Amino acid sequence: MLDSGSTEVRSGTGAAHLEIVRRTNLGMGIGVVVQYALGIWVNLYVTVPARDQGGGFLAAIGRALANGPVALGIHAGLGLLLVLGSISLLVRSVLSRNRALIVLSVVFLLALLGAASSGASFVDSGQDSASASMAMLTGVALICSLISLYLAGSPGRQGPGRGDGVTGP
């Protein structure tokens, strides 16, 4: 009697972790879309000051947050929040013990780190190739988020993303 109760608790905990991953993933996906739109706005309408160029990676991030135009500072700040959120998403995916979600969360984190690096490179050097790679890596992160949402599924949904092994109602 005691064993069946502990099994229910473990499966309930896995389902709870999967639900948290799903919600975190949804929030991160929305954040990436907002970040992408803001990045397009910055690319089209904001000029990075010449004084912000040179000095390296960390200096470029600091200058974008402190000295840059407001839109650039918001873009950089949101990017850093997304990186922190992706670390949280990875931890939550590991707790859910779903290998596909773990792999997608790792790719999501790496894509956001690459986009942040490209963004800092763009502020540092002003090269268009850095801006293009930032956009492509953000797209990769968005695709990972959408696939993860499908795999995590919604509560009570049938099919491969349900995660509890139940195929019926």
Side-chain angles (χ1 to χ4, degrees):
M1 192 71 162
L2 190 59
D3 289 334
S4 66
S6 63
T7 304
E8 288 176 11
V9 168
R10 271 188 256 138
S11 67
T13 303
H17 285 299
L18 199 59
E19 176 64 16
I20 292 170
V21 168
R22 187 183 68 79
R23 289 180 184 201
T24 304
N25 222 327
L26 179 62
M28 293 298 293
I30 291 169
V32 168
V33 169
V34 169
Q35 178 74 339
Y36 196 76
L38 187 57
I40 290 171
W41 175 265
V42 168
N43 189 27
L44 293 175
Y45 300 110
V46 174
T47 303
V48 177
R51 70 177 184 269
D52 287 355
Q53 295 181 352
F57 179 80
L58 293 176
I61 294 173
R63 289 177 184 157
L65 289 170
N67 301 332
V70 173
L72 180 62
I74 292 171
H75 182 64
L78 181 57
L80 292 175
L81 287 175
L82 284 171
V83 168
L84 292 175
S86 67
I87 293 169
S88 171
L89 179 63
L90 177 59
V91 169
R92 292 173 189 276
S93 296
V94 168
L95 291 174
S96 76
R97 298 181 187 220
N98 185 318
R99 289 184 183 162
L101 290 176
I102 293 169
V103 169
L104 286 166
S105 296
V106 167
V107 173
F108 185 81
L109 173 61
L110 292 175
L112 286 182
L113 287 173
S117 175
S118 296
S121 176
F122 178 73
V123 169
D124 186 42
S125 67
Q127 294 179 350
D128 289 336
S129 62
S131 179
S133 65
M134 181 175 38
M136 286 186 277
L137 288 167
T138 305
V140 168
L142 183 58
I143 290 169
C144 287
S145 180
L146 291 173
I147 294 170
S148 295
L149 276 172
Y150 172 74
L151 291 177
S154 60
R157 192 187 97 181
Q158 308 294 322
R162 189 162 173 186
D164 61 1
V166 177
T167 57

